[in-house]
Amino acid sequence: MAQVEMILPAMGEGVMEATVLEWLKEEGDSITLDESVVEVATDKVDTEVPATIEGVIKKILVQKDDVVQIGAPIAIVETEGADDADAEEAPKVETQPTNNTTATNEAVSENTSQEIVAKSGDRFYSPLVRSIANTEGISQDVLDSIPGTGKDGRVTKDDMMNFLKNGNTSSATVAPTRPATPTPAPVAKAVAPAVSMDNGDEVIEMDRVRKMIADRMVASKQIAPHVTSCVEADLTNVVVWRNQQKAAFKKKEGANLTFMPIIISAIAKAIKEFPMINVQVDGSKIVVKKDINIGMAVALPNGNLIVPVIRNADRLSLSGLAIAIQDLSVRARENKLKPEELSGGTYTVSNIGSFGNTIGTPIIMQPQVAIMAVGTIRKKPAVIETPQGDLIGIRQFAYFSHSYDHRVVDGALGGMFVRKVADILENWDVNLTV
């Protein structure tokens, strides 16, 4: 018999920690390989963690609401068929908070100052809290004085935000800065006005996902100067073709042929022609992404949005896109997506037409530089040019709104890209078979 540490596995690109929501097993329970043992929440998704080893759980190391770093041990499992020598040869995870969180902190940002330590006295500071302290120039002494509302008095992100919002940085001892690295002038932080309460007003606490969305949307507007270009596209050919194909497609593939796979197919083709839309910004560098991974906004039953990613969308057929879209949409609403299915996107599309909207100004999903909103398709009278002269006919139109990061996408590129998407759809081949 041997006792082996079960660690928290990688949870997707950019995820450094997770919060324990619920243990699905108890100490003394037997577990099999890939059996779900604990449910955790990251800043991307709630998910169940499968067992990476078989045996009996001897000790649970982290409890509900604990924040655990990726790669940290979460339980001790007693396994059979292994002697002590085998156990010693198994990869070990350093349990000292300082070493574990230092490595994580380095992954958060190459430029983050290391003056703030992971553990000071009896207090442990997460990589996120240390990153905020370093960015805002808060010294170790001042950080140690901030009241913590987390478990065992731990300082949380909300504690840091409240500290900064209340203007307490005036008493902070600014950490030494590197002389060779120029620092930008401080930007005044907006303070939300106080909300007055009247009789009968209802107060609803934001859930975790809504708080996450709020933080990301504000951050995106602060990071990227948004510009939006719009075009109106004649989708008559697309509508006619889909109406001809959808029944046979449903019978053949068992999936619905919606407009979304057609639109994503057009976006992927346009990206190949305008690859500088498929980029990300890294400081003063532009990273041109090789893969075309398109995220699609999905509305959840509670009203929140989630954005699963279709990887290598340009390599999928229309059938493949339709099946992938239906699968991801269903599992998104059932909270069954895997963390890796919510990361790695290089471009995003949002179908605001499903809510009856015509035009929108979507907010970019960082670190991407562009996002497209597709409005509802409406019948409108239009001028039709023919060899015999102009005629008035009924056509199917929709607006496409393209928001882009003006740091790296100029108006010409942003406008030409959305026009290209419209051109592809307007010239859709009605004889295409799927």
Side-chain angles (χ1 to χ4, degrees):
M1 303 292 286
Q3 292 190 354
V4 180
E5 291 177 343
M6 184 168 68
I7 66 171
L8 184 65
M11 307 293 289
E13 179 184 20
V15 177
M16 301 300 175
E17 61 184 22
T19 301
V20 178
L21 296 180
E22 198 74 45
W23 275 94
L24 308 177
K25 296 289 184 178
E26 299 178 352
E27 292 181 359
D29 286 350
S30 297
I31 56 174
T32 58
L33 194 64
D34 293 330
E35 181 181 9
S36 296
V37 293
V38 61
E39 184 179 7
V40 300
T42 72
D43 63 349
K44 298 181 182 293
V45 68
D46 296 353
T47 188
E48 294 178 356
V49 176
T52 54
I53 49 179
E54 294 186 350
V56 177
I57 298 178
K58 298 302 293 183
K59 185 174 180 59
I60 291 175
L61 302 178
V62 294
Q63 303 302 320
K64 183 178 179 180
D65 297 330
D66 282 355
V67 177
V68 187
Q69 306 303 311
I70 298 300
I74 58 175
I76 302 295
V77 178
E78 189 173 73
T79 62
E80 295 183 358
D83 55 24
D84 292 340
D86 292 334
E88 289 176 1
E89 292 175 2
K92 294 293 182 178
V93 177
E94 178 59 58
T95 58
Q96 291 297 323
T98 301
N99 294 338
N100 187 35
T101 53
T102 298
T104 306
N105 197 44
E106 291 173 356
V108 173
S109 171
E110 293 179 358
N111 299 322
T112 301
S113 173
Q114 296 296 318
E115 281 81 14
I116 303 298
V117 298
K119 186 172 184 180
S120 178
D122 295 330
R123 265 188 161 185
F124 168 75
Y125 296 110
S126 71
L128 177 59
V129 168
R130 286 184 285 139
S131 177
I132 294 173
N134 283 319
T135 301
E136 300 295 337
I138 298 174
S139 69
Q140 185 72 59
D141 290 341
V142 173
L143 182 60
D144 291 343
S145 69
I146 297 176
T149 60
K151 182 178 176 61
D152 299 327
R154 180 179 295 180
V155 177
T156 66
K157 175 186 174 183
D158 289 340
D159 296 332
M160 297 295 288
M161 293 300 101
N162 289 333
F163 177 81
L164 295 169
K165 186 173 80 171
N166 294 332
N168 292 323
T169 54
S170 59
S171 61
T173 303
V174 180
T177 58
R178 300 168 185 171
T181 305
T183 56
V187 178
K189 297 183 182 298
V191 179
V195 178
S196 60
M197 297 294 295
D198 298 322
N199 290 335
D201 290 349
E202 180 183 6
V203 177
I204 301 175
E205 181 67 25
M206 290 186 186
D207 59 26
R208 187 184 61 83
V209 175
R210 175 49 52 187
K211 290 178 181 178
M212 176 188 71
I213 293 173
D215 289 344
R216 287 186 174 180
M217 294 301 97
V218 171
S220 182
K221 295 290 283 188
Q222 291 174 338
I223 292 168
H226 283 53
V227 176
T228 303
S229 297
C230 300
V231 299
E232 187 178 31
D234 185 343
L235 301 185
T236 305
N237 285 354
V238 170
V239 173
V240 170
W241 178 83
R242 174 181 172 269
N243 288 340
Q244 294 173 344
Q245 299 287 332
K246 61 181 182 181
F249 184 84
K250 176 71 172 179
K251 183 177 181 180
K252 177 183 177 182
E253 303 291 351
N256 295 320
L257 181 60
T258 65
F259 289 106
M260 189 56 68
I262 303 171
I263 293 168
I264 288 179
S265 172
I267 290 173
K269 290 177 181 177
I271 288 176
K272 281 185 170 294
E273 188 163 333
F274 297 97
M276 292 307 292
I277 287 291
N278 202 51
V279 305
Q280 296 176 2
V281 179
D282 182 14
S284 61
K285 299 173 184 169
I286 300 174
V287 180
V288 182
K289 304 300 288 183
K290 178 182 178 182
D291 294 333
I292 298 176
N293 301 331
I294 298 180
M296 56 174 190
V298 176
L300 300 178
N302 61 5
N304 291 332
L305 288 174
I306 196 168
V307 184
V309 176
I310 302 172
R311 294 183 177 274
N312 300 307
D314 58 313
R315 304 178 192 174
L316 296 177
S317 64
L318 276 175
S319 297
L321 285 171
I323 293 169
I325 288 169
Q326 178 165 303
D327 172 59
L328 290 171
S329 299
V330 170
R331 289 193 291 115
R333 297 186 182 101
E334 295 175 351
N335 195 29
K336 293 182 179 179
L337 291 175
K338 301 175 182 178
E340 58 269 22
E341 292 173 323
L342 294 166
S343 62
T346 61
Y347 190 93
T348 298
V349 59
S350 178
N351 181 18
I352 63 173
S354 61
F355 312 121
N357 299 157
T358 55
I359 300 176
T361 54
I363 298 177
I364 299 166
M365 291 279 296
Q366 296 297 325
Q368 300 167 32
V369 300
I371 181 174
M372 188 172 294
V374 182
T376 187
I377 301 174
R378 299 184 301 162
K379 292 181 180 179
K380 295 174 60 176
V383 175
I384 304 173
E385 295 180 356
T386 72
Q388 291 75 34
D390 293 344
L391 302 174
I392 297 294
I394 302 300
R395 307 290 287 179
Q396 305 263 11
F397 285 92
Y399 284 102
F400 287 71
S401 310
H402 185 219
S403 292
Y404 45 91
D405 184 344
H406 213 6
R407 293 178 301 170
V408 293
V409 181
D410 293 325
L413 174 57
M416 286 190 296
F417 178 80
V418 66
R419 184 63 256 172
K420 183 62 180 180
V421 173
D423 289 343
I424 293 171
L425 295 171
E426 288 183 342
N427 293 287
W428 193 263
D429 183 3
V430 294
N431 296 316
L432 181 69
T433 56
V434 65

